Amino acid sequence: MIDFTTDHPPVTTDERMKALRGLSRIEKELGYVDERVAEAELPPPSFEGERYEAQVPDTLDLTDRAVFAINAYTRMLDPAMDYRLMGNVNFVRKPPVLIVGGPYGCTSKQIESLILMRIMSGSSYNIDIDNKLMRSVLHMAGKDGFFYAPWSKVAWMPGYIGGAPAGIDIVSQTMQPHTEIWEEGRMILALCMWLQHDQNPLWQELIEKKINRLSELAVWLGDCCHFSRGRLYIVGDKGSVDGPILTGFYALEQVRQIARGCALYYKLSGYEPALKLAGGLVKTLFEHGDAYDEIGRWKHCHFHTNVGTLISILEYATAVDDDELINFARRGYQYAKACGEPLVGYYAEHAPGFAGTKGFELPGQYDSCETCEVADMLVLGLKLTMAGVGDYWEDVDRCLRNQF
């Protein structure tokens, strides 16, 4: 077992604790927090199993890598801010500054990955942190099931988050607790992982509330749906009842971020609203999204967005046994391989030949390899293999060993 000598960071200042108490008061005064959920007791994390020592070849050990990840996941949290994720870093400052962000970004990805790394490695390192992380998001649980972050100028990054395609930034306008629906979609996926592990009915309740709220905010055109305002919503938000159907990057992101978790939850539970929402987003993408040409080639440059969307399409396709969509995902995987170097697993953040893509007019930029797309290719290759439409184990093995 790997031994890390530095434990998670201690609480260091009274000022930060006062800030946390101030946030709690704001949440209660506004009346959006579901106190029953926020104060729920969680069972102690448990990862029982047989443990033994063995001699193994001196080669890539993925379980060791999982423990490294657990070390990072459990030490990027701020105890003085209710164990919220420090997901943003300013390296220009001396010393560098870690910033507690809003509900968007990587919190859901960390929650999803932490439980998977525990299962993969059997590690109990810093395991007391797991429930503290989960409680931190429960403390922001609104009565509609969304997780709302209190307004904070420090946490708010309008230049990064982008608000909406039309530039509507309701968060800066109102300075109210806010959520981001892409993160809510990813949180559905994360909670699905926890639900499979411990069968806690609280996760099921929150997932279904999130799906119902997302369905309520969506604009429905028959069996197609979309979110015309984009990402950002405040407590009690009515959303947009009309507006243009989003195309390109935003059409892809709606599917990538939301449809995958909904499709997985349908597989786990048979919950029909989950399948309806996932299907509505996927259908909108193909009928109105202007994201792929007639044979499945990309119209948008961002590699992670395209391949992540293909994973969501495949998750939905396997939920409904749609062979046409499954094969579309397979063709997309082959196209993605042609945009990179599969021998070593190198895939640039922006695929070549897309310098004029609307919203990403940065020719010659972002051609370095981003971890996101490498992980996407691993996941898509494995899921296609498991779906029986190809054998991509060697692709995955080369990518892991040579690029990671």
Side-chain angles (χ1 to χ4, degrees):
M1 181 60 65
I2 298 171
D3 179 29
F4 297 103
T5 57
T6 305
D7 205 352
H8 50 83
V11 176
T12 56
T13 66
D14 291 338
E15 287 77 15
R16 294 162 86 190
M17 288 302 293
K18 288 178 182 177
L20 172 59
R21 288 193 291 270
L23 292 177
S24 299
R25 284 198 301 272
I26 292 170
E27 292 161 5
K28 290 186 177 181
E29 287 171 6
L30 289 171
Y32 73 85
V33 170
D34 186 339
E35 294 191 14
R36 182 185 59 83
V37 172
E39 297 173 5
E41 288 296 322
L42 300 179
S46 174
F47 292 88
E48 301 297 331
E50 181 184 357
R51 298 180 183 273
Y52 58 91
E53 294 185 2
Q55 289 188 327
V56 297
D58 185 14
T59 184
L60 177 66
D61 189 333
L62 295 180
T63 57
D64 274 356
R65 301 304 176 96
V67 180
F68 290 144
I70 291 169
N71 175 52
Y73 293 151
T74 56
R75 293 175 58 204
M76 292 170 60
L77 308 170
D78 188 348
M81 292 294 286
D82 197 24
Y83 290 88
R84 288 170 64 190
L85 174 66
M86 296 185 289
N88 307 315
V89 187
N90 184 350
F91 285 109
V92 177
R93 296 278 295 274
K94 291 185 178 182
V97 176
L98 286 164
I99 302 169
V100 175
Y104 44 80
C106 295
T107 302
S108 59
K109 298 177 185 179
Q110 183 172 0
I111 288 172
E112 174 193 357
S113 297
L114 178 58
I115 191 76
L116 294 175
M117 295 302 99
R118 295 281 189 202
I119 294 168
M120 176 178 166
S121 66
S123 171
S124 58
Y125 174 75
N126 263 357
I127 200 166
D128 62 306
I129 300 299
D130 291 25
N131 274 358
K132 294 174 181 177
L133 169 60
M134 297 306 289
R135 287 194 186 101
S136 74
V137 292
L138 294 183
H139 293 165
M140 295 188 288
K143 295 174 183 177
D144 59 3
F146 279 0
F147 296 150
Y148 292 95
W151 162 258
S152 165
K153 286 185 179 181
V154 175
W156 185 236
M157 302 180 297
Y160 170 76
I161 211 67
I168 300 169
D169 183 355
I170 194 169
V171 179
S172 292
Q173 290 175 0
T174 63
M175 297 187 184
Q176 294 295 307
H178 58 281
T179 191
E180 192 261 282
I181 58 171
W182 293 356
E183 176 76 357
E184 294 293 348
R186 286 304 300 256
M187 197 64 77
I188 291 170
L189 181 64
L191 294 180
C192 280
M193 303 306 172
W194 282 77
L195 178 63
Q196 291 175 88
H197 172 66
D198 62 16
Q199 302 298 312
N200 188 337
L202 178 60
W203 310 140
Q204 186 168 1
E205 176 187 338
L206 284 168
I207 290 169
E208 293 185 4
K209 280 187 173 182
K210 290 178 188 293
I211 290 169
N212 294 341
R213 181 66 171 131
L214 286 167
S215 299
E216 182 181 76
L217 289 172
V219 179
W220 289 87
L221 301 170
D223 53 359
C224 292
C225 69
H226 66 105
F227 296 91
S228 64
R229 202 177 72 205
R231 305 171 70 165
L232 303 172
Y233 294 81
I234 60 174
V235 176
D237 209 322
K238 301 298 182 183
S240 299
V241 296
D242 54 15
I245 296 178
L246 303 182
T247 60
F249 171 77
Y250 284 94
L252 289 164
E253 283 292 334
Q254 289 182 147
V255 173
R256 180 175 81 86
Q257 304 279 12
I258 299 173
R260 182 180 172 189
C262 291
L264 175 58
Y265 185 66
Y266 173 76
K267 292 178 180 178
L268 297 175
S269 67
Y271 190 60
E272 289 290 341
L275 187 67
K276 181 181 178 182
L277 181 57
L281 292 169
V282 170
K283 188 169 184 179
T284 300
L285 175 66
F286 282 101
E287 293 191 2
H288 307 285
D290 193 30
Y292 304 107
D293 70 11
E294 63 278 0
I295 61 174
R297 291 176 300 194
W298 305 347
K299 293 186 177 182
H300 191 277
C301 64
H302 197 232
F303 199 106
H304 176 38
T305 297
N306 281 289
V307 180
T309 301
L310 290 170
I311 295 170
S312 292
I313 291 170
L314 181 61
E315 195 77 66
Y316 172 74
T318 54
V320 296
D321 294 322
D322 188 323
D323 290 337
E324 184 177 349
L325 280 180
I326 292 172
N327 280 300
F328 179 88
R330 179 184 58 80
R331 293 196 306 272
Y333 177 75
Q334 297 293 350
Y335 181 83
K337 286 174 63 176
C339 289
E341 180 43 76
L343 180 64
V344 295
Y346 182 97
Y347 300 101
E349 182 173 356
H350 284 181
F354 288 89
T357 300
K358 184 178 180 182
F360 286 81
E361 292 87 357
L362 296 168
Q365 307 249 351
Y366 298 105
D367 55 358
S368 57
C369 185
E370 183 186 36
T371 305
C372 298
E373 49 260 17
V374 181
D376 287 336
M377 290 298 283
L378 296 173
V379 172
L380 186 56
L382 289 172
K383 284 186 171 290
L384 286 167
T385 302
M386 294 167 66
V389 293
D391 184 353
Y392 302 113
W393 286 109
E394 289 189 4
D395 286 356
V396 171
D397 187 68
R398 283 194 294 267
C399 199
L400 276 170
R401 293 176 184 277
N402 296 328
Q403 186 66 26
F404 271 6

